Amino acid sequence: MNIMETSLKFLFVSVLAVFTMSCGEQYPPTNLANNHIIPKPASVVATHGTFVLDKDAVIFYDAGNEDLKKNAEYLAGLLRPSTGFVVETKATSRNPRDGIYLTAGVDKDSLLGEGGYELVISEKQVKIASPYPDGVFYGIQTVRQLLPADIEFHNDGTREKWFLPTGTIRDWPEYQYRGAMLDVSRHFFGVETVKRFIDYLSLFKFNALHLHLSDDQGWRIEIESWPNLTRHGGSTEVGGGKGGYYTKDDYKAIVEYAAGHHITIIPEIDMPGHTNAALASYPELNCDGKARELYTGTKVGFSTLCTDKEIVYEFVDDVVREISELTPGPWFHIGGDESHSTEQDDYVRFINRVREIVNTYGKKVIGWDEIAHADINSEDVVQFWAREKNALEGVKKGAGVIMSPSSHAYMDMKYDSTTVLGLSWAGLTEVDDAYNWDPVALVDGIEKIDILGVEAPLWTETIETLDDIEYMTFPRLPGYAEIGWTATENRFWEDYKVRLGKQKERFEAMDVNYYKSPLVPWQDEEDIFIEEQKEGEVK
């Protein structure tokens, strides 16, 4: 350690000492513009003051607004364990001028748009304003990232004050849909693991979680009218483990938890292929009337529902009906990928009938890009993962597109050749590869108006634990969030990798098992402070 670094570390400790003095003391100037928020906000203006959060903290919200009340309680739930403060929530009919204030009192202007928010931090008040409940929630996540990383775990009682830089942030999402997918079929993950995954998504302003609930290796959701789907079809997984499934109450708990984090659950029942678990559970779904053996391998394309049998459509109707009754979101994902054992004419006829069934229960269809061969229209969404030709065909038929290019967005792809987990059939995907793509520039002929948003899938052939999930999603997940939220012209890898590196202590405070990419300059908060001293940002 050289003399300069020693002096700066001493200064760091000294400043912390100043921070713990009484409210009458002067606090060092701050610079809100020097933040490491992910996704990157649209507009940041710093005023170089300090807001102090202490034991008298109160969160106010507009009286009579139940959505704001829920957001206030959510924020209080974040702050109480880490600060040790009581953190009351109070309804108010006027601007309280101090404390934290959540309000719908801002115009629904075209700039903010749906999901947008305005965050104004002064020495006396933190105000998060949006006409939309999700906008206020996203503003809360920004405040969360502006606070020290210690906000992510239980406080040991030594920190009496918490500090925020003053200024104004105006922010809004670039795309309506910002999702991730978790495959719970190849390996099953329980309710608490899914909730943990939702926690990670909410921090970075995702708004959709696509659950891949059925595949060759396992059926993961209770269907009362076809009970053997879970009793038998849910009894195993890749490698021959015991598998598992969600009861209806389990699934309701996931949906409710996601809604509390402003995330929509999108259920997927993959068909007519990827259906061996169902074919093993009910012989009548097979053309020969014989049940298939349970499958614990990883091959694809060998299974298909018998598209000529009426009982198959009765089965699909029951499954879609029961899941739709539990799912308040607008979408139902029908899969449709890699149906190599289904004749093309049979495939098209099947998808057309399933579309009608889904629509009957008030849901809109999402399917992998192969469904573009069917008679889809502007009510449907094609999820591009492999074939540009399919995605373009979907657009020609008026469908929207979710961009999930396997070469960039599949979180189960290895980082490099030494990565123990994951696959590599779509290539190696280091953190820069995951970040450096533009949904609009990806496929010639697909314009921004055609794109609903982006989704990063995590397939789980090699993923068995929460630690595995974390390692393959972090640190790529925040980058996908930024692609979906931040305008392309405001995204730059050289800037992003620095902000990502400054998330190090937050990831560790959250106990995330992340991949320490050599492309990212990982930094502790103390190192960040020293760097700012060297750059003359804090005087």
Side-chain angles (χ1 to χ4, degrees), residues 57-329:
V58 177
I59 302 172
F60 297 94
Y61 60 91
D62 292 343
N65 191 318
E66 285 300 308
D67 289 322
L68 288 178
K69 180 180 180 180
K70 291 177 183 177
N71 275 328
E73 290 170 349
Y74 168 84
L75 177 56
L78 281 177
L79 296 177
R80 286 169 185 151
S82 49
T83 63
F85 304 153
V86 174
V87 191
E88 293 183 74
T89 62
K90 292 183 179 180
T92 182
S93 57
R94 60 180 180 82
N95 187 338
R97 304 296 180 187
D98 60 10
I100 300 173
Y101 179 35
L102 311 184
T103 179
V106 64
D107 292 336
K108 292 186 177 181
D109 61 64
S110 59
L111 193 59
L112 282 183
E114 187 170 353
Y117 66 92
E118 182 178 78
L119 169 63
V120 181
I121 306 174
S122 67
E123 284 83 355
K124 294 292 185 181
Q125 183 190 68
V126 174
K127 183 169 76 170
I128 305 172
S130 175
Y132 306 98
D134 55 346
V136 172
F137 184 82
Y138 301 143
I140 288 171
Q141 303 310 318
T142 296
V143 170
R144 181 179 173 184
Q145 289 194 40
L146 288 170
L147 287 164
D150 289 1
I151 206 70
E152 303 298 341
F153 55 58
H154 288 258
N155 183 28
D156 60 7
T158 59
R159 190 192 292 267
E160 296 180 357
K161 293 180 174 64
W162 301 71
F163 305 94
L164 287 168
T166 61
T168 298
I169 292 176
R170 286 173 59 81
D171 200 12
W172 55 89
E174 183 75 355
Y175 290 100
Q176 173 189 345
Y177 183 102
R178 305 173 306 282
M181 188 211 78
L182 181 61
D183 170 14
V184 297
S185 294
R186 270 50 179 274
H187 283 98
F188 178 68
F189 299 95
V191 172
E192 293 307 311
T193 297
V194 177
K195 286 182 177 180
R196 180 76 164 169
F197 194 64
I198 289 170
D199 290 339
Y200 298 149
L201 297 182
S202 65
L203 174 60
F204 298 107
K205 304 183 176 76
F206 285 90
N207 66 351
L209 172 57
H210 167 186
L211 288 176
H212 185 75
L213 293 166
S214 70
D215 214 298
D216 293 317
Q217 299 86 352
W219 187 283
R220 305 304 182 201
I221 185 166
E222 177 185 14
I223 303 297
E224 291 176 354
S225 54
W226 299 75
N228 212 38
L229 288 170
T230 48
R231 184 186 303 132
H232 184 61
S235 65
T236 190
E237 60 187 13
V238 167
K242 67 178 182 178
Y245 66 92
Y246 305 118
T247 66
K248 286 193 170 183
D249 284 342
D250 289 337
Y251 183 75
K252 287 177 184 176
I254 290 171
V255 169
E256 182 178 347
Y257 190 81
H261 292 69
H262 295 265
I263 289 172
T264 298
I265 295 295
I266 299 166
E268 179 189 353
I269 299 298
D270 208 346
M271 49 187 163
H274 287 280
T275 45
N276 193 78
L279 301 175
S281 302
Y282 286 96
E284 59 266 42
L285 301 178
N286 297 280
C287 289
D288 61 6
K290 297 179 181 179
R292 300 298 182 257
E293 295 295 322
L294 290 171
Y295 182 67
T296 61
T298 59
K299 291 181 179 180
V300 300
F302 63 88
S303 61
T304 182
L305 294 168
C306 188
T307 60
D308 290 333
K309 297 177 75 169
E310 198 59 30
I311 188 68
V312 166
Y313 299 99
E314 294 174 13
F315 162 76
V316 172
D317 190 285
D318 286 336
V319 169
V320 172
R321 171 179 52 80
E322 291 195 33
I323 296 176
S324 294
E325 288 171 352
L326 305 174
T327 310

